[in-house]
Amino acid sequence: MISPPPGPGPASPTLADGFAEIERTAERAIDDLARMVAIDTTFPPGAGYEAFAGLMESAVAALGLDCQRVDVPEHLWRVTGGPAQGRRTNLIARRRSGRPVLGLYFHVDTVPAAPGWETDPLLLTRDGDRLIGLGAADMKGTITAVLLALRAADTIGLPLGYDPMLLHCTDEEGGLYPGIRYLAEQDLLEGHILNFNGAAAPRIWAGCFGLFTLLVRVHGRTLHASEAASAGSGANAIEAALPILNALAALKPKIAERTSALPAPPHATHPLAAQLDISAAHGGQCGGQIPSRFEILICRRYAPEEDFLATRSEIELTVREAAPHTEIEMVLTGHLMPTSDPTGPHWPRWQEALSAGFGYAPDEFAKWGATSCSDFGWVQAIGMQEILLTGLGRPESRVHAPGEFTTLADIVALAKSVLAYLSAEFRPDLSPEAVAGR
């Protein structure tokens, strides 16, 4: 008896199958995001990083990723008298199969919830397609998109062209020693990196400004309020700080005149300019007591063309000249270096992947920079110049404001973009590694 010839085997999974799996399982992203938002990782103080690392370890366990916790040593990030507390626990989750490595970077910290939230900022709230919660857009929602993409690839067995390396990092929102800086300096980064600290937009990143925060402590003497008249002008720290506040206010417009050659976003009417802001001020306790200390937090955004030491010295000199007879401390509490032009050989493929996920047309893409900041200047400092960029931010997303939100549609689109880029099937002609291996 002659056996019939074997029929065709099962079809190999395709990227289209992966997209279908993402859409089929999209609602799972909402549960993931709810768990992430519920862990308070606000910086300052940054006390929730260990708990968040534990959540991420559980989330990637089924994906077969190897996890490594990396703590930034306390002497690097601790500021004397500063509000930061807790371990600076970063989590690397990666797969090792011998393929080229794609780093997928997320900062896990959020800014503190500002007054004005109408819902609990740590409780994800769904309003139609909107997913409202602290960090939903910046940038815990991006982690859910990547998990959605990786689960889809695993479920259908989609061949990948890159080994994913997830980088969950600390203290991007103004810390003195961001986690990605420490990972870079410890030689723990590989391949090239996709940074999720951007916008849901057809953007080719041109780089960004740097930022530092300077805490000014003005000292007086604690006295009973009835003794104020006889105590002298230096006793009340708040009153002693008034000339400093006035001097900073006068310096602000002068700094704003300094512009950068970085291309501005589309439709911008002015070039990108340096900024000086008084971000916080604290002092005093009650009406019956003369305050002995007043603190001013200064935020300075500086262009890539500016020198950090010179910009810092300018502020310090302004403060001391405004109050020459007052006891003053000045402490650097945060610093993000500028990111110079991060384009490189992988950008054309990433642009195609963004189009595959979000539906962008080629003529929609534009190259632009921003006065918003990134911690990737520290990565470039060790020699990794090329950085891809994406994210979930939109002008209407209320990032850093009450009611911050992202949408399930954007999470799905971002997941598709990431899956396309990771896929071995997708545009191998635009993969530098695949082209080099031919």
Side-chain angles (χ1 to χ4, degrees):
M1 180 177 180
I2 300 175
S3 300
S12 298
T14 66
L15 183 58
D17 297 327
F19 283 7
E21 181 65 15
I22 286 173
E23 291 174 356
R24 188 185 71 81
T25 57
E27 290 288 325
R28 185 172 179 182
I30 299 175
D31 295 332
D32 288 333
L33 185 55
R35 285 188 285 270
M36 294 180 201
V37 169
I39 296 180
D40 186 354
T41 54
T42 54
F43 175 84
Y49 296 141
E50 283 187 281
F52 198 86
L55 176 66
M56 291 297 97
E57 286 169 336
S58 299
V60 303
L63 296 171
L65 303 184
D66 297 324
C67 291
Q68 177 186 4
R69 293 192 182 199
V70 181
D71 285 2
V72 180
E74 186 170 345
H75 73 273
L76 294 177
W77 59 264
R78 174 71 69 183
V79 176
T80 302
Q85 58 182 263
R87 298 171 71 97
R88 266 42 196 167
T89 301
N90 300 265
L91 181 71
I92 301 173
R94 62 165 302 163
R95 180 174 293 155
R96 299 178 185 272
S97 73
R99 299 184 183 94
V101 175
L102 173 66
L104 300 155
Y105 162 85
F106 321 93
H107 69 77
V108 304
D109 54 325
T110 72
V111 296
W117 277 82
E118 296 180 358
T119 61
D120 183 342
L122 299 180
L123 179 66
L124 189 70
T125 303
R126 187 171 186 177
D127 181 9
D129 195 42
R130 291 187 176 193
L131 304 173
I132 304 165
L134 185 61
D138 182 26
M139 53 186 297
K140 293 177 178 179
T142 67
I143 307 176
T144 69
V146 170
L147 291 176
L148 198 57
L150 294 180
R151 287 171 182 152
D154 271 21
T155 298
I156 69 170
L158 183 69
L160 301 183
Y162 294 97
D163 279 338
M165 181 180 184
L166 279 60
L167 306 164
H168 304 91
C169 296
T170 59
D171 283 10
E172 187 274 344
E173 298 288 5
L176 186 59
Y177 219 95
I180 193 66
R181 175 184 181 181
Y182 186 70
L183 298 185
E185 292 175 352
Q186 297 304 305
D187 199 26
L188 292 172
L189 305 181
E190 298 180 41
H192 63 294
I193 297 181
L194 175 54
N195 176 357
F196 288 87
N197 199 20
R203 176 187 182 187
I204 300 173
W205 197 24
C208 64
F209 278 37
L211 174 150
F212 65 89
T213 50
L214 197 64
L215 181 64
V216 178
R217 293 192 180 109
V218 180
H219 293 278
R221 286 181 293 144
T222 301
L223 298 168
H224 191 287
S226 64
E227 301 178 62
S230 59
S233 60
N236 189 315
I238 296 177
E239 293 177 359
L242 290 177
I244 297 173
L245 292 168
N246 289 331
L248 292 171
L251 180 62
K252 183 182 176 78
K254 297 177 183 178
I255 287 177
E257 293 175 357
R258 302 169 192 170
T259 59
S260 173
L262 273 180
H267 312 301
T269 57
H270 301 285
L272 299 177
Q275 294 176 228
L276 172 69
D277 292 297
I278 299 172
S279 299
H282 304 283
Q285 298 184 98
C286 66
Q289 183 185 71
I290 297 300
S292 63
R293 190 165 80 174
F294 186 69
E295 294 186 338
I296 307 165
L297 184 65
I298 302 167
C299 178
R300 173 69 158 88
R301 296 179 186 270
Y302 67 103
E305 296 90 343
E306 295 184 276
D307 177 72
F308 162 65
L309 292 178
T311 58
R312 177 178 175 178
S313 295
E314 179 183 42
I315 293 174
E316 292 177 339
L317 182 62
T318 297
V319 169
R320 295 202 183 279
E321 287 184 343
H325 305 298
T326 301
E327 182 184 350
I328 297 170
E329 294 177 76
M330 283 181 272
V331 182
L332 184 71
T333 59
H335 185 202
L336 302 176
M337 287 179 62
T339 303
S340 60
D341 190 345
T343 53
H346 295 87
W347 267 92
R349 191 168 191 268
W350 175 238
Q351 183 175 330
E352 291 291 318
L354 274 175
S355 297
F358 284 91
Y360 299 132
D363 61 0
E364 291 183 86
F365 282 85
K367 184 173 182 177
W368 46 279
T371 55
S372 59
C373 304
S374 170
D375 41 10
F376 270 78
W378 300 114
V379 175
Q380 290 183 332
I382 63 138
M384 295 182 71
Q385 185 68 24
E386 183 188 30
I387 308 294
L388 308 179
L389 185 71
T390 189
L392 291 173
R394 292 188 180 274
E396 65 272 20
S397 296
R398 302 191 60 78
V399 171
H400 289 195
E404 177 183 352
F405 73 91
T406 187
T407 66
L408 184 58
D410 274 353
I411 289 174
V412 167
L414 183 56
K416 289 180 178 179
S417 295
V418 171
L419 185 62
Y421 191 86
L422 286 169
S423 169
E425 165 195 338
F426 183 76
R427 295 302 304 266
D429 58 310
L430 294 180
S431 169
E433 295 86 359
V435 171
R438 289 175 184 170

